[in-house]
Amino acid sequence: MSGIMIAIYSDDYITNESLFRELVSLAKQLQAQSHERLTITVVGDESGSCTQTVAEYGEELVRIAIKVPENAPWPEYDTEALVQLCNELQPSMILLPKTFWGTEVAARLTAILDGSAAMDITAATLLSDSLEVTRTIFGGVAEARLRMARMPAVLVPHPKIWPEAEPLPTDSSITLFTPNIDLGALQTIPKDRHRLAQAPDVAQARILIAGGRGLGGPEPFKLLEEIASMIGGQVAASRPPVDSGWVSGQIQVGLTGKTVAPDLYIAVGISGAIQHITGCYNARNIVAINNDPHAPIFQYATYGVVGDWQDVLPTFYEALKTIIKSSREKVY
Amino acid sequence: MNIVVCIKVVIDPLLSSTDLMIDPVRSRIVARESGQQVVNGFDEQALEAALRLKDNIPGTVITLMSVGKQVPWDVLRKLMALDVDNALVIDGSAGDSHDPRVIAAILAAAVQRLEGVDLVICGRQASDWDNAQVPIRLAGNLGWPCLTLAREVKMVGKEIQVRRVLLDGWQDMSAKPPAVITVTSELGELRYPTMKGRLAAMKRQPNVWSISDLGNEFVEATELVEIQMIHHPKESNCHFIDGESGQSKGEQLAAVLMSSGLI
Ligand SMILES: Cc1cc2nc3c(=O)[nH]c(=O)nc-3n(C[C@H](O)[C@H](O)[C@H](O)COP(=O)(O)OP(=O)(O)OC[C@H]3O[C@@H](n4cnc5c(N)ncnc54)[C@H](O)[C@@H]3O)c2cc1C
């Protein structure tokens, strides 16, 4: 087995471009050591536009597109297609993004190819006879070093560890891979699908104002929305508001949500459990508003307000409005 | 319907890093104090999914299944206060492996030995290693379909159907049993037991099988070289905003964030 393969899903690429660019950096790091061929495979790109953009990441890449039929089960079909491609290319390393698709395809591919997988890796080193990776465990309070004993090694990097690769303009040639799959022979059957409006990617925001269970319901998120739009930020959330259906899962920050690193992260009514912190730990500044002075979130905060958000937020909002208005008046 | 719910006992994920340490002998993370183990949260929700099926399908039998070296029965037993029929503990040190390939193979061998299982329900991932791999590998070993990230599980005719959470919404997916299902937190919390259930649970005991009885050899796909703690909290240097009231603190905060250029 030889070769490094990046596999991405076109929908993920659209909403999570930075993850793809981080995968390219990891792949190039591994390639510098192993000198193996690098392949990028894009799954499910109907228009082909994603594959076009992806093709711009370096001339030594081989680009392969796999189309997914409308009624194909997700991601069983995608996995089966990748298995067939892997049987042909025999890659020794497969890199996938930390998205719903990437995480699940990683597990399915590893199971079928009987390889080894490592999730949430923060470092990877090729030794003379093996690949060693470091990954976070226990929500991020600890890390484990693993030696990948079976090939292919399927790796899902932790977001925001590797830098985002820059495109290198090249003549891109794209090969279409057409797997031989009998839809009727697959085991899962897709039914109704319901799509929410696409929320802007919280991982790209410079300012985030995040609400937690302490907000008590969906209503207060409107106030967060108003504040965010005034200061050029976006709204995020901890897990309980998502589980309770107050907000969309797209804006969840944490271990099972997005990993963000804004300049400013304002956490309102969020206790600061490690599974949340692990997703926002790299924010340059965390501001915590919480009525419990012992809430762990204050350990990570640059600024803290001990108080009920119902008292703090409205005056915070009004004061910001006034300051912003007067600073505008000064300028004009 | 015959349902197996896979349960992992984990260290309480809400313990702070200072309450955890490395057990050098077994190269694993342990709590400094005893009694800090809990049922993995997503697995509790897997049980809730099973109980909801049982609410609607008379004659459903629920079996809890847990692997590990000396799985603590006092932790598992709490679940027996609910409408659970059996508990099966599969004992042996291979069950403590960090490696999903091993755990999935043990579970698969046990499910096959149980015979007649229609559905295996698992939490989407365990809060210690967060691999999200065991259920999918288990399905692979059994040759069964795997439906993932369910926020709803129900039978529709002869098919099992889940409403799977997607980043931008949801999708219904179905399969013919036998199947493996993973459950996510949007499904909702595990119900509370009754007092009567709690008392009855005190007397219940699990069936115990030994991993070595399951015959196979269980080989890891990844070798654990080392584990170490990484200190998260920086020196706490939070600057607390003073003020007579929450209202005045709110105003102060706006001024501080504006003048420091953060907004
Ligand atoms: C495997 C696993 C994965 C997980 N993944 C994630 C994840 O991706 N993201 C995530 O966020 N969590 C995740 N969790 C859950 C995590 O452990 C916590 O349960 C969760 O982060 C708590 O959310 P919270 O802080 O909003 O709620 P709580 O912990 O309930 O905190 C609410 C806070 O609000 C404060 N509060 C209450 N009322 C007010 C008021 N009126 N004014 C001001 N403050 C108030 C309280 O003092 C409290 O600190 C995961 C857990 C596990 C086990």
Side-chain angles (χ1 to χ4, degrees):
Chain A
M1 282 184 189
S2 157
I4 304 169
M5 185 201 283
I6 294 177
I8 60 163
Y9 176 53
S10 59
D11 278 14
D12 281 352
Y13 178 76
I14 296 160
T15 50
N16 262 314
E17 189 188 332
S18 57
L19 288 186
F20 164 70
R21 294 170 55 162
E22 293 164 25
L23 287 178
V24 175
S25 289
L26 167 58
K28 293 205 165 171
Q29 179 218 311
L30 292 166
Q31 195 189 26
Q33 288 178 277
S34 75
H35 309 292
E36 290 177 32
R37 183 196 50 211
L38 177 50
T39 312
I40 295 186
T41 305
V42 179
V43 181
D45 186 18
E46 283 324 300
S47 70
S49 62
C50 166
T51 322
Q52 279 304 337
T53 339
V54 162
E56 295 185 0
Y57 281 84
E59 29 197 315
E60 73 276 29
L61 306 180
V62 184
R63 306 113 189 140
I64 297 175
I66 300 177
K67 306 244 183 251
V68 179
E70 190 65 43
N71 55 340
W74 184 103
E76 191 188 357
Y77 182 94
D78 315 35
T79 309
E80 187 49 40
L82 286 171
V83 166
Q84 292 185 13
L85 182 61
C86 288
N87 286 340
E88 214 172 290
L89 298 176
Q90 297 282 323
S92 60
M93 292 175 257
I94 303 170
L95 316 183
L96 293 151
K98 192 183 175 186
T99 58
F100 282 9
W101 182 87
T103 310
E104 183 160 338
V105 168
R108 286 180 182 263
L109 269 182
T110 314
I112 297 173
L113 301 173
D114 201 10
S116 54
M119 317 304 284
D120 262 318
I121 66 168
T122 54
T125 319
L126 275 165
L127 307 175
S128 59
D129 59 342
S130 65
L131 170 64
E132 236 181 57
V133 303
T134 305
R135 56 156 301 180
T136 54
I137 53 173
F138 280 72
V141 301
E143 61 185 25
R145 202 139 57 81
L146 296 174
R147 195 164 294 148
M148 311 302 286
R150 299 184 68 91
M151 295 286 127
V154 178
L155 307 177
V156 176
H158 191 73
K160 304 219 185 275
I161 301 288
W162 278 272
E164 293 181 31
E166 293 298 330
L168 303 168
T170 101
D171 288 337
S172 49
S173 73
I174 294 157
T175 318
L176 186 68
F177 179 76
T178 311
N180 179 12
I181 299 175
D182 171 8
L183 280 183
L186 296 177
Q187 293 179 311
T188 58
I189 307 151
K191 299 264 155 103
D192 291 351
R193 172 158 188 176
H194 175 79
R195 279 188 178 223
L196 301 168
Q198 201 64 251
D201 185 7
V202 288
Q204 309 293 334
R206 205 183 63 79
I207 298 180
L208 284 172
I209 175 158
R213 183 172 5 228
L215 291 191
E219 206 52 33
F221 277 89
K222 296 202 182 117
L223 178 55
L224 298 194
E225 211 51 83
E226 280 175 44
I227 298 176
S229 74
M230 188 177 58
I231 58 181
Q234 287 174 39
V235 173
S238 64
R239 193 176 83 181
V242 174
D243 286 350
S244 310
W246 304 345
V247 297
S248 148
Q250 295 172 85
I251 64 168
Q252 179 181 323
V253 168
L255 191 63
T256 47
K258 294 263 177 89
T259 304
V260 301
D263 292 338
L264 178 61
Y265 188 82
I266 307 178
V268 189
I270 292 179
S271 61
I274 186 66
Q275 297 81 9
H276 183 78
I277 295 297
T278 203
C280 61
Y281 181 68
N282 286 323
R284 207 163 285 156
N285 293 281
I286 293 179
V287 172
I289 302 175
N290 197 305
N291 60 3
D292 172 9
H294 303 294
I297 186 83
F298 290 120
Q299 293 167 26
Y300 307 91
T302 319
Y303 295 105
V305 175
V306 178
D308 189 324
W309 65 265
Q310 303 188 63
D311 299 329
V312 179
L313 274 194
T315 51
F316 175 62
Y317 183 35
E318 289 307 320
L320 280 179
K321 261 197 223 160
T322 315
I323 303 173
I324 289 173
K325 194 160 150 248
S326 72
S327 68
R328 286 219 181 101
E329 275 160 8
K330 261 181 235 149
V331 173
Y332 297 113
Chain B
M1 180 150 58
N2 207 338
I3 307 177
V4 166
V5 180
C6 297
I7 304 285
K8 182 171 188 181
V9 175
V10 293
I11 294 172
D12 184 349
L14 294 180
L15 286 186
S16 88
S17 56
T18 48
D19 297 326
L20 301 173
M21 60 178 204
I22 309 239
D23 170 355
V25 184
R26 286 165 87 188
S27 185
R28 51 176 9 217
I29 291 174
V30 292
R32 287 183 191 277
E33 288 174 27
S34 60
Q36 309 274 28
Q37 287 170 304
V38 296
V39 169
N40 179 45
F42 292 118
D43 301 351
E44 284 191 358
Q45 291 162 321
L47 174 56
E48 177 59 29
L51 291 167
R52 288 181 197 171
L53 286 168
K54 190 170 182 177
D55 291 341
N56 291 308
I57 306 171
T60 296
V61 173
I62 298 179
T63 303
L64 305 183
M65 188 146 118
S66 191
V67 298
K69 182 79 201 143
Q70 287 162 358
V71 175
W73 177 239
D74 55 330
V75 179
L76 275 188
R77 183 162 57 198
K78 296 190 181 113
L79 302 179
M80 304 304 286
L82 294 157
D83 194 5
V84 170
D85 300 275
N86 310 299
L88 174 60
V89 166
I90 301 162
D91 187 68
S93 44
D96 282 350
S97 169
H98 71 284
D99 193 87
R101 186 172 189 266
V102 168
I103 304 301
I106 296 172
L107 288 170
V111 168
Q112 267 157 347
R113 187 167 149 173
L114 272 178
E115 291 181 3
V117 174
D118 300 300
L119 218 51
V120 176
I121 311 186
C122 306
R124 61 182 274 182
Q125 64 199 63
S127 60
D128 45 9
W129 277 70
D130 288 302
N131 281 314
Q133 283 189 58
V134 166
I136 290 170
R137 294 201 72 137
L138 166 63
N141 289 350
L142 292 168
W144 294 2
C146 189
L147 298 170
T148 52
L149 301 180
R151 54 182 278 189
E152 253 175 68
V153 184
K154 61 181 178 196
M155 284 301 290
V156 177
K158 288 202 154 75
E159 288 179 351
I160 185 82
Q161 180 166 315
V162 307
R163 179 155 292 179
R164 176 235 301 267
V165 170
L166 296 174
L167 194 58
D168 60 352
W170 50 257
Q171 175 160 37
D172 289 337
M173 298 282 299
S174 68
K176 290 208 179 63
V180 176
I181 289 175
T182 83
V183 161
T184 181
S185 49
E186 284 92 334
L187 184 118
E189 309 256 304
L190 178 61
R191 61 192 64 183
Y192 284 105
T194 58
M195 185 49 83
K196 192 165 151 251
R198 258 183 244 178
L199 290 173
M202 302 299 286
K203 295 188 216 96
R204 306 199 45 190
Q205 288 298 324
N207 293 326
V208 181
W209 291 357
S210 162
I211 290 178
S212 51
D213 289 345
L214 294 173
N216 310 16
E217 228 187 288
F218 301 105
V219 184
E220 294 181 340
T222 56
E223 184 189 324
L224 180 57
V225 183
E226 187 186 26
I227 284 190
Q228 67 182 69
M229 301 297 301
I230 45 177
H231 56 58
H232 247 137
K234 318 166 189 167
E235 286 297 297
S236 175
N237 50 6
C238 181
H239 174 83
F240 284 96
I241 307 288
D242 290 328
E244 311 254 285
S245 63
Q247 283 89 342
S248 66
K249 288 180 189 171
E251 284 166 13
Q252 274 295 317
L253 181 66
V256 168
L257 295 186
M258 291 296 287
S259 64
S260 60
L262 287 173
I263 291 182

